[in-house]
């Protein structure tokens, strides 16, 4: 299932409706759609403007800056998103600092060099989740599997693809797409290329039960205030 959306807001609103209307009820308290892939045609429009989502650009920027730092400690970021405090074994160290992951073995730098030297390369990919490291995933299993770049033939724009094993639409997707498309922009700038499309694939795209009525609760609250 591949869909095209103009931007992140259109994707979020459409996918929320799709999951709530067609999602399978799971045994872990979610509604989920499986093997969903879609394009953002204008990935630079990464701010979710949906009123009831209350997207925080400030937090998304803070999370991206944390990734860029490569610091695996959640000591600071958990002050702004308490979920991070549930993802470590008492030492504040997590596997899901994506910047730490893309810097391992210079993965991202090597992708940039591959693209710089061969605009037709199909090898400009780096990995996050690594099945060979499953024993390290007791507290924190990365949601992103891999990230790849392509230079679009005849256009010369930098496309990006992100493959997720599992993705919460409300917080996961909204913040993930902000961070990944920001990285796409940075890589494109480094290569002197325009930004192309962003492709997002999730094996399990879901909404948690606590957010099933998120939209209705927002408007009910607005009506009563």
């Amino acid at each position: 299932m591949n869909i095209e959306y103009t931007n992140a807001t259109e994707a979020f609103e459409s996918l929320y409706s799709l999951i709530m209307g067609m999602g399978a009820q799971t045994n872990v308290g979610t509604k989920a759609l499986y093997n969903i892939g879609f394009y953002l045609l204008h990935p630079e429009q990464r701010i979710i403007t949906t009123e009831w989502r209350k997207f925080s650009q400030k937090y998304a920027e803070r999370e991206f800056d944390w990734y860029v730092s490569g610091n695996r400690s959640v000591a600071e970021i958990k002050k702004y998103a308490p979920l991070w405090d549930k993802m470590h074994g008492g030492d504040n160290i997590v596997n899901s600092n994506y910047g730490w992951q893309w810097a391992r073995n210079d993965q991202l730098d090597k992708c940039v060099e591959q693209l710089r030297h061969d605009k037709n390369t199909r090898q400009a990919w780096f990995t996050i989740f690594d099945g060979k490291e499953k024993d390290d995933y007791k507290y924190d299993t990365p949601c992103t599997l891999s990230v790849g770049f392509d230079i679009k033939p005849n256009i010369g724009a930098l496309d990006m693809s992100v493959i997720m094993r599992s993705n919460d639409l409300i917080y996961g997707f909204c913040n993930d797409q902000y961070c990944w498309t920001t990285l796409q922009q940075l890589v494109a700038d480094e290569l002197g290329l325009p930004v192309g499309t962003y492709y997002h694939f999730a094996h399990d795209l879901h909404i948690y039960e606590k957010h099933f009525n998120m939209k209705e609760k927002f408007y009910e609250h607005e009506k009563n205030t």
Side-chain angles (χ1 to χ4, degrees):
M1 184 177 183
N2 287 306
I3 313 166
E4 290 185 351
Y5 295 115
T6 301
N7 54 35
T9 297
E10 184 180 3
F12 170 75
E13 293 181 358
S14 174
L15 292 166
Y16 185 89
S17 295
L18 278 173
I19 294 172
M20 292 309 302
M22 301 171 57
Q25 186 83 44
T26 74
N27 293 327
V28 293
T30 67
K31 283 188 176 181
L33 293 176
Y34 298 95
N35 298 320
I36 301 299
F38 53 91
Y39 291 92
L40 301 184
L41 301 181
H42 294 282
E44 72 280 3
Q45 297 175 17
R46 60 183 65 94
I47 298 171
I48 307 292
T49 59
T50 307
E51 186 180 28
W52 51 269
R53 171 55 183 80
K54 298 181 181 179
F55 178 73
S56 172
Q57 182 181 359
K58 185 174 182 179
Y59 172 76
E61 290 174 348
R62 182 175 279 120
E63 186 170 293
F64 182 73
D65 288 343
W66 175 58
Y67 290 158
V68 171
S69 77
N71 183 357
R72 296 175 68 190
S73 173
V74 297
E76 287 299 315
I77 197 71
K78 71 182 184 182
K79 296 176 183 178
Y80 308 100
L83 175 67
W84 288 109
D85 205 23
K86 301 177 181 179
M87 297 173 64
H88 62 88
D91 57 2
N92 281 325
I93 301 301
V94 300
N95 297 307
S96 290
N97 179 290
Y98 291 148
W100 173 74
Q101 294 280 11
W102 73 54
R104 296 177 71 185
N105 298 314
D106 300 319
Q107 288 195 95
L108 178 58
D109 289 344
K110 290 174 181 176
C111 287
V112 173
E113 286 307 305
Q114 287 175 308
L115 293 162
R116 197 189 308 278
H117 289 103
D118 180 6
K119 66 180 180 180
N120 298 310
T121 184
R122 298 188 296 268
Q123 299 179 18
W125 284 78
F126 63 82
T127 59
I128 302 294
F129 176 98
D130 188 338
K132 297 185 291 298
E133 298 178 351
K134 278 181 176 286
D135 290 343
D136 295 332
Y137 294 161
K138 181 176 180 180
Y139 299 103
D140 171 32
T141 303
C143 293
T144 304
L145 298 173
S146 56
V147 177
F149 303 93
D150 297 279
I151 298 175
K152 186 174 293 178
N154 304 320
I155 298 176
L158 183 73
D159 292 346
M160 185 184 204
S161 299
V162 173
I163 312 300
M164 311 284 294
R165 71 170 176 83
S166 180
N167 207 196
D168 157 47
L169 180 72
I170 303 300
Y171 291 114
F173 166 71
C174 291
N175 291 321
D176 286 341
Q177 66 79 29
Y178 186 95
C179 291
W180 289 127
T181 59
T182 300
L183 181 66
Q184 180 183 10
Q185 180 72 65
L186 291 177
V187 173
D189 289 348
E190 186 168 348
L191 293 169
L193 299 173
V195 170
T197 60
Y198 172 85
Y199 179 74
H200 192 95
F201 176 88
H203 168 64
D204 182 324
L205 184 66
H206 55 266
I207 296 172
Y208 285 102
E209 188 172 4
K210 62 184 177 181
H211 295 135
F212 284 179
N213 298 316
M214 188 178 189
K215 182 178 180 179
E216 291 79 4
K217 286 180 179 178
F218 174 83
Y219 287 116
E220 184 67 24
H221 179 267
E222 289 291 297
K223 186 174 69 175
N224 295 325
T225 55

